[in-house]
Amino acid sequence: MKNIYLLGATGSIGEQTLDIIEKQRDDFKLIGISGYSNFDKLVEITRKFLPEIVVVKDKFDKEKLVKLFPTIKVEFGRQGLKTLATYHKEDQDAYLINALVGMVGLEPTIEAIKIERDILLANKETLVVGGHLVSLLKKQYQFKLYPIDSEHNALWQLMNHENTKDIKRLIITASGGSFRGLSRDELKNVSVSDALKHPNWSMGNKITIDSATMMNKGFEVIEACYLFDLDIDKVDTVIHKESMVHSLVEFNDGSILAHVSHPDMHLPISYAMNYPNRKVTHIKPFDLMLLNNVSFQTMDLERYPCLNFAINAFKIGGSMRTVLNAANEAAVDLFLSGKIKFLDIETIIEEAMRKHQVIDFPSLEEIYELDSTIKEEIYKKFR
Ligand SMILES: NC(=O)c1ccc[n+]([C@@H]2O[C@H](COP(=O)([O-])OP(=O)(O)OC[C@H]3O[C@@H](n4cnc5c(N)ncnc54)[C@H](OP(=O)(O)O)[C@@H]3O)[C@@H](O)[C@H]2O)c1
């Protein structure tokens, strides 16, 4: 029996994780959850699973939740996420599942590492902004870090018993997102509702927009470098619009291994939660004949400048990745609230990166400070 501490229970990954916990009640026990703006959904989850600790957005929500569930411990905010990540410090038969969106996921990940709790990571922004900190902590603490992101989960499965030195390159596939058929000119006036219609995956709003700009793939390239300790020149991306091949690994002997399945996040989440076992999922069997109709296309960095920004930010290193992420979070938020156009997202990120003076190895506090400075500057302009 594994005890589960779930950050971001109200989100898309959170919800799919709860499905698995519910189906495998003999294998997993939900001890703690967090939510943020969706208070009603958090109440519903709390009522269903009766966890020991719940983390809410602020003290007002705390007061409301305590009234509803007087015996449950309720915490809030940044401190609350840290408390949840390290709750029952001595509990070693546990997983922290990080399904938060945004850089808020970094600090609880670090706190969990420091108590040597194993982590299942969906929150890619953790490694984008704090990969250097996590890499350093890997040398000091014993913990496992299992990727939930579908492409990285596929790569993990493909490389399980392989030597890193035998790997020629990783190939991460990209569906191309909601606007993959459109030219740059046609992107000028696209709407928020169209941007949120991903052709293959049902995901949270932020990652759906990141998929349309291809920033998501940029984040995944950075994530892969840290997860698998590989140089960025060994991580390639390719457009594969059917989202059936989730990633590929090319080896020095000429072999290429590919991971194939229907696009459904239950699979990578279940694999990580049950590793090294595989449990039956509800996902329908894959008909091999579907592979007769798959396509691969070279990635076009001019069509998708955000991917290029991410690669450059990784190469420049240090705090440039915080700037990349902060500018992206603010710009996506402004787009979702109708304050800017789709193509403004990339202009905002490019400008923030151009102006930035790099700090080589930013600490957690420097990352938080820089994140809020960059976001404030951007929000001020579009108020
Ligand atoms: N969804 C996918 O299929 C998928 C696939 C691969 C990787 N990922 C990655 O997994 C992570 C989660 O994605 P998602 O699609 O599940 O996102 P989502 O649906 O937007 O859910 C995000 C979760 O984080 C909470 N949250 C948002 N802002 C917060 C804040 N400032 N402080 C504390 N909690 C906050 C949300 O709470 P409320 O909803 O209550 O506001 C929600 O529980 C992202 O890093 C994403 O890139 C997702």
Side-chain angles (χ1 to χ4, degrees):
M1 168 76 82
K2 282 272 182 203
N3 292 324
I4 303 293
Y5 301 81
L6 176 59
L7 296 165
T10 46
S12 159
I13 294 286
E15 193 172 317
Q16 296 175 82
T17 304
L18 293 171
D19 285 347
I20 294 170
I21 295 174
E22 207 185 350
K23 288 203 182 85
Q24 287 187 243
R25 282 197 182 254
D26 292 341
D27 299 318
F28 302 114
K29 184 169 176 2
L30 189 65
I31 307 289
I33 54 172
S34 80
Y36 194 65
S37 53
N38 201 338
F39 182 77
D40 293 344
K41 190 165 177 186
L42 193 64
V43 169
E44 215 179 281
I45 298 167
T46 306
R47 193 163 282 133
K48 185 165 178 184
F49 289 89
L50 294 175
E52 291 176 30
I53 172 170
V54 180
V55 177
V56 295
K57 183 177 173 184
D58 52 32
K59 64 177 185 203
F60 305 106
D61 282 354
K62 174 175 171 166
E63 278 169 26
K64 286 194 278 174
L65 202 74
V66 167
K67 275 195 193 129
L68 292 171
F69 302 99
T71 58
I72 290 179
K73 183 177 171 70
V74 183
E75 298 283 339
F76 67 91
R78 186 172 162 185
Q79 181 56 44
L81 297 177
K82 291 203 281 183
T83 305
L84 173 51
T86 56
Y87 200 60
H88 293 320
K89 281 187 177 39
E90 309 306 322
D91 180 3
Q92 285 303 305
D93 229 354
Y95 282 143
L96 173 74
I97 302 187
N98 188 339
L100 294 172
V101 65
M103 65 77 73
V104 288
L106 173 61
E107 188 173 42
T109 306
I110 287 181
E111 292 294 312
I113 291 174
K114 288 184 178 164
I115 61 157
E116 303 199 325
R117 177 159 286 167
D118 294 335
I119 298 160
L120 274 51
L121 189 68
N123 177 258
K124 57 190 85 186
E125 294 88 349
T126 283
L127 293 177
V128 172
V129 299
H132 59 295
L133 299 176
V134 173
S135 293
L136 189 67
L137 293 168
K138 270 190 197 166
K139 296 180 188 140
Q140 298 166 28
Y141 297 94
Q142 295 288 321
F143 65 97
K144 297 187 185 90
L145 186 62
Y146 294 158
I148 287 183
D149 211 348
S150 60
E151 293 79 0
H152 304 77
N153 189 278
L155 291 168
W156 172 36
Q157 297 190 38
L158 294 169
M159 290 193 286
N160 227 337
H161 303 291
E162 305 288 349
N163 289 322
T164 310
K165 68 174 178 38
D166 296 331
I167 293 167
K168 189 168 176 192
R169 61 178 180 140
L170 310 183
I171 306 161
I172 300 178
T173 56
S175 69
S178 17
F179 300 135
R180 64 186 173 207
L182 303 191
S183 67
R184 285 198 54 84
D185 208 41
E186 288 167 320
L187 289 175
K188 282 182 188 154
N189 291 312
V190 291
S191 70
V192 173
S193 64
D194 285 342
L196 288 175
K197 286 179 201 143
H198 195 286
N200 307 343
W201 297 95
S202 159
M203 309 185 285
N205 287 354
K206 194 232 171 207
I207 185 178
T208 305
I209 303 302
D210 286 347
S211 299
T213 61
M214 206 54 88
M215 180 60 89
N216 183 47
K217 226 32 64 177
F219 285 172
E220 288 176 7
V221 168
I222 299 175
E223 194 184 357
C225 292
Y226 283 117
L227 280 171
F228 306 114
D229 213 5
L230 283 173
D231 197 87
I232 195 159
D233 296 333
K234 288 198 165 191
V235 185
D236 268 352
T237 54
V238 67
I239 302 259
H240 161 55
K241 60 181 195 296
E242 297 81 12
S243 297
M244 289 179 193
V245 179
H246 301 296
S247 276
L248 307 96
V249 183
E250 183 174 2
F251 295 92
N252 291 327
D253 66 359
S255 309
I256 292 188
L257 302 188
H259 180 278
V260 178
S261 77
H262 289 293
D264 186 326
M265 286 306 295
H266 286 89
L267 201 151
I269 301 170
S270 172
Y271 181 78
M273 289 177 76
N274 289 295
Y275 182 80
N277 302 307
R278 288 180 187 267
K279 290 279 173 175
V280 174
T281 65
H282 68 276
I283 298 164
K284 61 180 178 190
F286 190 90
D287 177 358
L288 269 186
M289 297 313 130
L290 287 170
L291 291 179
N292 288 329
N293 297 316
V294 298
S295 61
F296 294 97
Q297 237 179 297
T298 309
M299 182 60 76
D300 180 350
L301 292 179
E302 279 178 23
R303 166 68 175 76
Y304 295 112
C306 285
L307 172 56
N308 219 7
F309 297 159
I311 293 170
N312 286 337
F314 182 80
K315 288 183 176 166
I316 294 166
S319 57
M320 192 55 94
R321 291 174 291 111
T322 300
V323 174
L324 170 88
N325 181 72
N328 183 58
E329 283 189 27
V332 170
D333 183 39
L334 286 166
F335 173 68
L336 284 169
S337 51
K339 295 199 173 116
I340 61 169
K341 294 193 164 195
F342 183 73
L343 287 180
D344 294 333
I345 297 175
E346 51 194 54
T347 314
I348 287 172
I349 299 165
E350 189 176 25
E351 193 185 321
M353 285 177 68
R354 194 168 2 94
K355 289 196 317 206
H356 181 60
Q357 296 278 330
V358 178
I359 309 166
D360 281 341
F361 199 92
S363 65
L364 185 65
E365 278 319 313
E366 283 171 325
I367 290 173
Y368 269 80
E369 247 174 64
L370 182 58
D371 176 80
S372 54
T373 310
I374 296 285
K375 285 175 180 166
E376 264 168 39
E377 273 175 22
I378 294 170
Y379 284 126
K380 223 192 298 169
K381 267 197 198 160
F382 295 94
R383 213 168 264 150

